[in-house]
């Protein structure tokens, strides 16, 4: 399966937007983790933004960045949202409320607890009525989301927006699921076009001895290991570096998604 990577959005400590992060991801500048301000997620109407969760704002922020670069109308683009845990902050708040004598749950909090909350808010913000998929595959959620999005592009021959996100898990849930920092990334994938960032072919293989691709920069490699959405980092680094690249992502222990990248030529 072959597709074009048309545009990218990214948000993480030390990676604030694709254009601002390209030299860091290419290894030309040092990676300097820094606190991430609350994303603007400007596409969200004021009332929806006020009610939205942190996960929603992170997902919408990278999605709107990728869509703005692509030049496409978000109303016309199907979506795939991938997250290992979804609304873990909301889950923590619900559990804490249920542990009180009153056990009174806010309707707003309750409606944010479902796994496809970010996809729903994106639909509200953009008035998009195209197909939308929300999925989870534990640590391999990004690879599963990428496989779903690439298959959609190849079958339907239209662009697809892929968004992967996972935020820090609050205590005490982080004792079972230790994710210490947020990471969100978005790709607009399309049938091959010469003006894209890169062309990418994807195939499934049995997991080899080498396993998933790792990063040479120790701090970035730690980010990759510690957040499921950050398993996208080898792909982001390969695109930023340019040239022909091969990236492997683990999928369901016994398989891996192998990506062969070729830079596009205008």
């Amino acid at each position: 399966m072959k597709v074009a990577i048309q545009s990218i959005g990214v948000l993480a400590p030390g990676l604030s937007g694709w254009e601002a992060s390209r030299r860091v991801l290419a290894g030309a500048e040092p990676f300097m983790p820094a606190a991430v301000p609350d994303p603007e997620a400007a596409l969200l109407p004021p009332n929806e933004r006020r009610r939205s969760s942190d996960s929603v704002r992170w997902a919408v922020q990278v999605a709107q960045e990728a869509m703005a670069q692509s030049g496409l109308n978000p109303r016309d683009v199907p979506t795939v949202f991938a997250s290992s845990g979804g609304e873990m902050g909301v889950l923590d708040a619900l559990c804490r409320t249920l542990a009180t004598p009153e056990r009174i749950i806010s309707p707003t909090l309750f409606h944010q607890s479902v796994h496809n909350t970010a996809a729903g808010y994106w639909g509200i913000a953009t008035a998009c009525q195209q197909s939308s998929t929300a999925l989870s595959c534990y640590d391999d959620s990004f690879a599963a989301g990428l496989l779903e999005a690439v298959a959609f592009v190849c079958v339907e021959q239209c662009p697809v927006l892929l968004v992967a996100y996972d935020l820090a898990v609050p205590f005490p849930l982080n004792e079972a699921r230790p994710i210490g920092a947020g990471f969100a990334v978005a790709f607009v994938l399309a049938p091959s076009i010469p003006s894209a960032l890169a062309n990418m072919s994807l195939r499934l293989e049995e997991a080899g001895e080498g396993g998933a691709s790792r990063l040479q920069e120790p701090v970035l490699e730690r980010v990759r290991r510690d957040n499921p959405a950050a398993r996208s980092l080898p792909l982001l680094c390969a695109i930023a570096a340019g040239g022909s690249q091969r990236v492997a992502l683990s999928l369901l222990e016994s398989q891996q998604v192998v990506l062969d990248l070729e830079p596009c030529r205008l």
Side-chain angles (χ1 to χ4, degrees), residues 173-191:
L173 296 177
N174 63 359
E175 294 185 344
R177 190 64 169 135
I179 299 176
F183 195 99
V185 64
F187 295 86
V188 174
L189 306 176

Side-chain angles (χ1 to χ4, degrees), residues 68-262:
Q69 291 175 23
S70 74
L72 299 172
N73 187 334
R75 296 183 62 174
D76 301 331
V77 181
T79 58
V80 175
F81 284 77
S83 179
S84 167
E87 299 291 339
M88 294 297 286
V90 174
L91 174 61
D92 175 68
L94 287 173
C95 290
R96 290 178 183 276
T97 300
L98 291 173
T100 64
E102 295 80 10
R103 303 177 67 186
I104 299 175
I105 297 295
S106 158
T108 299
L109 195 65
F110 180 75
H111 100 268
Q112 291 175 345
S113 65
V114 294
H115 189 269
N116 64 344
T117 301
Y121 272 86
W122 177 254
I124 292 171
T126 62
C128 179
Q129 298 183 30
Q130 303 299 319
S131 168
S132 182
T133 300
L135 59 82
S136 174
C137 191
Y138 199 58
D139 281 347
D140 300 335
S141 293
F142 173 71
L146 181 63
L147 181 61
E148 173 74 15
V150 169
F152 196 103
V153 172
C154 292
V155 171
E156 300 295 337
Q157 286 297 294
C158 70
V160 171
L161 170 67
L162 167 64
V163 184
Y165 62 96
D166 276 294
L167 267 60
V169 177
F171 177 84
L173 296 177
N174 63 359
E175 294 185 344
R177 190 64 169 135
I179 299 176
F183 195 99
V185 64
F187 295 86
V188 174
L189 306 176
S192 295
I193 53 176
S195 60
L197 292 170
N199 280 320
M200 175 179 69
S201 60
L202 176 153
R203 65 182 185 276
L204 282 175
E205 295 182 352
E206 290 188 11
E209 293 183 1
S213 298
R214 290 169 171 78
L215 302 174
Q216 294 184 346
E217 161 59 53
V219 182
L220 268 179
E221 171 61 14
R222 194 176 309 124
V223 174
R224 185 198 71 84
R225 290 198 316 266
D226 292 349
N227 187 305
R231 305 297 164 93
S232 60
L233 274 170
L235 175 57
L236 291 171
C237 291
I239 297 168
S244 299
Q245 304 274 355
R246 175 167 291 180
V247 172
L249 307 173
S250 64
L251 180 66
L252 301 175
E253 297 183 354
S254 62
Q255 298 179 89
Q256 58 186 18
V257 176
V258 179
L259 312 172
D260 289 303
L261 292 159
E262 293 290 340

